[in-house]
């Protein structure tokens, strides 16, 4: 991409970090989405024989799964901003490394693998822009909030969104 490679890479990293941070609105949701995304990236690394990266993914999967056991509803521990931003950063980097082809050509697979948090972040950005409020301000109009407003229980909303994340990964 020439000149555009650095700005687009920075946009991807910051975008994924914020997407994971914004999707962390329900107990177990961010961890469940990260488990599905990292599992998919692990399969890609296995197919491409990127064993060092696969080892890193397996370590992250184990730590996130251990965290998720105590974060699923009702949560006794929380990820917080520092956890979600750190994991978003790591997943952004891993997604670029795992899907890079032999000719240093980047694929669009990371966008598909992380579609649920990226769609939620994109909708939040445009919704806030249309309302004339700053894009960094908080609101309660994310996908998970809308599911709760429609009458879905907390656990059911998490299962629905993680299920969609798994479906996008299978694509």
């Amino acid at each position: 991409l020439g000149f555009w490679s650095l700005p687009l890479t920075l946009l991807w990293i910051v975008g994924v970090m914020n997407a994971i941070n914004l999707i962390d609105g329900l107990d177990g949701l961010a961890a469940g989405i990260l488990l599905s995304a990292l599992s998919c990236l692990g399969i890609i690394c296995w197919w491409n024989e990127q064993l060092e990266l696969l080892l890193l993914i397996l370590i992250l999967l184990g730590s996130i799964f251990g965290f998720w056991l105590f974060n699923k509803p009702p949560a006794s521990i929380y990820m917080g901003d520092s956890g979600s931003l750190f994991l978003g950063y790591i997943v952004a980097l891993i997604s670029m490394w795992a899907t890079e082809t032999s000719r240093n050509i980047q694929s669009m697979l990371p966008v598909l693998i992380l579609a649920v948090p990226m769609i939620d972040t994109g909708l939040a950005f445009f919704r806030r822009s249309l309302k004339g409020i700053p894009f960094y301000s908080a609101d309660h109009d994310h996908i998970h909030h809308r599911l709760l407003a429609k009458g879905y229980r907390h656990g059911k909303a998490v299962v629905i969104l993680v299920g969609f994340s798994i479906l996008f990964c299978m694509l």
Side-chain angles (χ1 to χ4, degrees):
L1 296 174
F3 169 78
W4 291 104
S5 62
L6 182 62
L8 288 176
T9 300
L10 290 174
L11 180 66
W12 174 252
I13 292 170
V14 171
V16 172
M17 288 172 64
N18 284 302
I20 299 301
N21 188 29
L22 291 177
I23 205 75
D24 187 28
L26 296 178
D27 296 342
L29 181 57
I33 288 175
L34 287 170
L35 287 171
S36 68
L38 284 170
S39 297
C40 184
L41 290 169
I43 291 169
I44 292 170
C45 286
W46 178 263
W47 285 339
N48 292 333
E49 298 178 1
Q50 297 172 310
L51 300 183
E52 297 86 3
L53 192 53
L54 177 60
L55 179 62
L56 175 62
I57 290 171
L58 291 174
I59 291 168
L60 280 170
L61 280 170
S63 62
I64 293 171
F65 183 74
F67 166 79
W68 177 78
L69 292 175
F70 297 98
N71 182 247
K72 62 184 179 178
S76 58
I77 59 173
Y78 302 98
M79 190 177 294
D81 287 343
S82 59
S84 62
L85 290 171
F86 169 74
L87 289 172
Y89 176 73
I90 295 296
V91 168
L93 294 180
I94 288 174
S95 68
M96 289 187 299
W97 290 332
T99 58
E100 188 176 28
T101 64
S102 60
R103 294 187 207 146
N104 293 330
I105 298 171
Q106 197 63 43
S107 76
M108 294 301 290
L109 278 177
V111 175
L112 192 59
I113 292 169
L114 295 165
V116 171
M118 297 306 283
I119 290 170
D120 182 52
T121 302
L123 291 174
F125 179 79
F126 287 115
R127 178 180 60 247
R128 293 170 187 172
S129 296
L130 290 175
K131 290 181 179 178
I133 59 175
F135 66 89
Y136 52 82
S137 64
D139 66 4
H140 294 292
D141 209 15
H142 293 280
I143 296 172
H144 50 275
H145 292 127
R146 288 178 179 240
L147 288 174
L148 293 176
K150 293 285 185 188
Y152 289 98
R153 290 176 293 118
H154 184 109
K156 184 105 174 169
V158 170
V159 168
I160 289 169
L161 290 173
V162 172
F164 274 108
S165 180
I166 292 169
L167 285 174
F168 278 114
C169 287
M170 290 182 355
L171 289 176

